[in-house]
Amino acid sequence: MATVDVKIPDIGDFKDVPVIEVFVKVGDVLKAEDPILTLESDKATLEVPSPSAGKVAEILIKVGDKVSMGSAVLRLEAAGSDTASAGGAKAGAPAAAPDPVKAAAPAAVQGDAPRRTLPPPLGLDFGNAHASPSVRRLARELDVDLTAIKGTGDKGRVTLGDVKTALKGSGGGGGGVSSGTGIPEIPAQDFAKFGEIEVKPLSRLKKLSGAHLSRAWLNVPLVTHTDEADITDIEAYRKMLDGAAKEKGYRVTLLAFLLKASVSALKAYPEFNSSLSPDKGSLIYKKYYNIGVAVDTPDGLVVPVIKDVDRKGITELCQELGSVSKRMRDGKIAPADISGGTFSISSLGGIGGTNFTPLVSAPEVGILGVPRATMKPVWDGHAFQPRLMLPLCVSYDHRVVDGALGARFTRHLAAMLEDVRQLVL
C-alpha cells in the first residue's frame, strides 16, 4: 500500500513548538480528523488532526520534539476501500490539505485569558545550552538566560529546578535572572493542618497564561481610567435589530457596537493601536484594527481576535461573534484565531459589576473593560431623567499613553456609544 507523510499544517507564526502528547502508535487505524498529537505553544494547546483515513505505518516524532509548519510527524498507509468510505480517503492519493489545527484543552478552552490574547514572549537564543524543550520554554517565559546557568542534571543538563533556583536569585546552579526581576517566592504552608483540603491541578490554560500575566503585570506600568456612556438610545436600537436577527439565527449584542466604537477611538488616538519596539525606543503604529474579545467558556476566558473590524458592519460583526464564541466554547480554535490583536475588550456585563481593572496584554498597550450597565437619574438641564449608563474601564500602558490621552480616548468611546448614528455611517 502507498504511504503518505502527514505533516504539521499551518499553525500561524509559531515555530519549534514542543510536542506534548502523541495519541497514536504504529498499527492504529485512523479516520479523517482523528487526533494525532498535541502541541503546546505560548498561547494555546493545539491538537493536530489526521488529514485523511489510513493506518499508521511509522511515527516520526516523539514527546519533547519540536515541530513547525511542514514537519513530517508520521507515515500513513492510505486507507483501503472500507476505511476510505468511512474517512473519505483513497489509496495512493496524496494527503489532503489539513484543516486548521484544533486547539485542545481540558474541557474545551484555549488561549489566554487573557488574555486577554496571550502573545508569545520574545525568543532568546540559548545556543548549545544543554536543556530539554520544556526547560528552554520555561526559561523563555521567565526571561532566564540558560547559558548563564550551570546545570545540575545528568552530564550538566539544566533542569527545571536549576531555572527556578536561578529565578530566585540564590545563585544555585551558577545562574541568574537576565531581566534582574527575581522576586522572592511566597512561603509554602501546610494548609492541611488547619482543616480538610482538596488539591486539583491547574488547567493547561492557566499554566500557559500564568507566566504571561505575571510578566505583563511586572513589566507594564498600568493605569485604568473610568468613564460612563449613556447607551439608552443605542440599546433601543440594538433591541430593534435583535428582534429581526433572531429569526435569521443570530443575535445582536452590545459587543458589536463596542467593537465599532473602539475602532473609531483607535483611529482618533493611534497610540492605543501601537506597540513599543523591543528596544523600547520607538512606537510601532499598526494600520489594521484587529480586536481581541474575551469569551467566557466553562474553563475560563479565551480571547479570539476579530480581524479587520473597521471593514465590517454591525450585522457582519454580530454573526462572526456568534460563530467565534461557539467555536471557543467547543474548543475548536486555530492559532490564527488568537493571533494578531491590536486592542482588546473584556465585557463582563452579562455577569455584573460596577468597574474593574482589566490587565493589558503586552505587546498591546490598551484594553477596554465593560461591566454591567445600570439605570441612573441623569440631569438634562431641567429635570432628572432615567438613563441607561454603561461604565467604561480603559487600562493602558503608561509608557505609551499618558493620563490626558487615556481620558480623551475613553471619552471618545463614550461619545461614539451615545450617538448610534456615528457607528452605522
Side-chain angles (χ1 to χ4, degrees):
M1 244 182 214
T3 62
V4 292
D5 285 351
V6 175
K7 299 180 179 180
I8 298 294
D10 184 0
I11 53 176
D13 295 330
F14 303 115
K15 294 181 179 179
D16 297 328
V17 183
V19 177
I20 62 170
E21 292 177 295
V22 178
F23 299 119
V24 299
K25 61 183 183 297
V26 174
D28 284 354
V29 177
L30 304 178
K31 291 185 285 189
E33 300 301 318
D34 280 351
I36 296 173
L37 53 87
T38 302
L39 310 177
E40 187 171 68
S41 75
D42 294 297
K43 289 187 177 182
T45 305
L46 313 171
E47 187 178 279
V48 178
S50 175
S52 58
K55 183 177 180 181
V56 178
E58 183 180 358
I59 297 175
L60 306 176
I61 47 85
K62 62 183 182 300
V63 172
D65 286 351
K66 290 187 175 182
V67 296
S68 304
M69 177 181 170
S71 299
V73 294
L74 60 82
R75 290 196 173 96
L76 198 66
E77 290 182 356
S81 56
D82 292 340
T83 311
S85 61
K90 294 183 179 180
D99 288 337
V101 184
K102 297 179 180 178
V109 59
Q110 286 311 324
D112 305 304
R115 354 210 5 118
R116 355 239 323 136
T117 304
L118 304 178
L122 293 176
L124 296 177
D125 183 5
F126 296 138
N128 295 321
H130 189 24
S132 69
S134 60
V135 171
R136 287 171 177 266
R137 181 171 179 276
L138 178 65
R140 283 194 298 271
E141 289 177 346
L142 300 179
D143 199 19
V144 175
D145 186 358
L146 282 182
T147 62
I149 299 176
K150 183 178 180 181
T152 60
D154 185 35
K155 297 181 180 179
R157 192 179 188 88
V158 180
T159 67
L160 289 173
D162 294 333
V163 174
K164 293 176 181 178
T165 300
L167 182 65
K168 293 176 184 178
S170 66
V177 181
S178 61
S179 63
T181 57
I183 297 176
E185 290 282 348
I186 297 172
Q189 290 192 41
D190 181 10
F191 300 107
K193 69 182 182 181
F194 303 112
E196 183 180 355
I197 65 170
E198 180 182 4
V199 179
K200 294 183 177 180
L202 286 174
S203 68
R204 282 200 185 124
L205 170 64
K206 291 184 177 179
K207 288 180 181 178
L208 287 169
S209 63
H212 170 76
L213 294 173
S214 295
R215 191 165 53 244
W217 178 254
L218 290 170
N219 284 284
V220 176
L222 184 75
V223 176
T224 302
H225 185 87
T226 60
D227 205 332
E228 285 185 317
D230 184 343
I231 62 167
T232 309
D233 296 336
I234 206 170
E235 176 63 8
Y237 181 57
R238 183 199 69 78
K239 287 182 177 179
M240 181 185 72
L241 293 179
D242 189 47
K246 287 179 184 178
E247 299 177 1
K248 299 178 181 178
Y250 68 95
R251 303 298 301 271
V252 175
T253 66
L254 182 62
L255 188 52
F257 295 94
L258 290 170
L259 285 166
K260 297 297 290 185
S262 295
V263 167
S264 175
L266 293 171
K267 287 183 175 180
Y269 302 99
E271 289 86 353
F272 270 89
N273 207 52
S274 72
S275 289
L276 274 169
S277 62
D279 63 3
K280 309 298 187 293
S282 305
L283 272 185
I284 302 169
Y285 289 88
K286 300 153 194 172
K287 304 299 184 181
Y288 51 91
Y289 302 91
N290 300 340
I291 299 181
V293 177
V295 174
D296 192 18
T297 74
D299 279 347
L301 295 177
V302 185
V303 187
V305 176
I306 307 300
K307 305 291 174 58
D308 300 320
V309 176
D310 56 316
R311 302 178 186 178
K312 298 171 182 176
I314 295 296
T315 297
E316 185 178 359
L317 288 172
C318 289
Q319 292 172 334
E320 185 172 349
L321 285 167
S323 172
V324 166
S325 297
K326 185 178 186 305
R327 291 207 317 272
M328 299 306 103
R329 295 186 178 104
D330 292 343
K332 297 178 180 178
I333 175 173
D337 292 331
I338 53 176
S339 302
T342 62
F343 185 75
S344 295
I345 299 176
S346 179
S347 177
L348 302 178
I351 301 173
T354 56
N355 59 71
F356 66 101
T357 300
L359 186 61
V360 172
S361 178
E364 295 175 19
V365 300
I367 181 173
L368 168 63
V370 184
R372 175 177 290 175
T374 57
M375 295 297 297
K376 292 184 177 181
V378 178
W379 183 254
D380 66 0
H382 304 283
F384 283 101
Q385 301 292 342
R387 306 295 291 180
L388 184 62
M389 305 301 294
L390 177 69
L392 303 174
C393 309
V394 175
S395 291
Y396 53 85
D397 186 335
H398 210 356
R399 296 172 299 179
V400 177
V401 178
D402 60 31
L405 180 59
R408 291 189 180 100
F409 178 89
T410 311
R411 181 89 301 263
H412 184 102
L413 270 173
M416 295 300 296
L417 292 168
E418 289 170 348
D419 187 355
V420 67
R421 294 169 298 180
Q422 300 183 75
L423 294 180
V424 297
L425 291 177

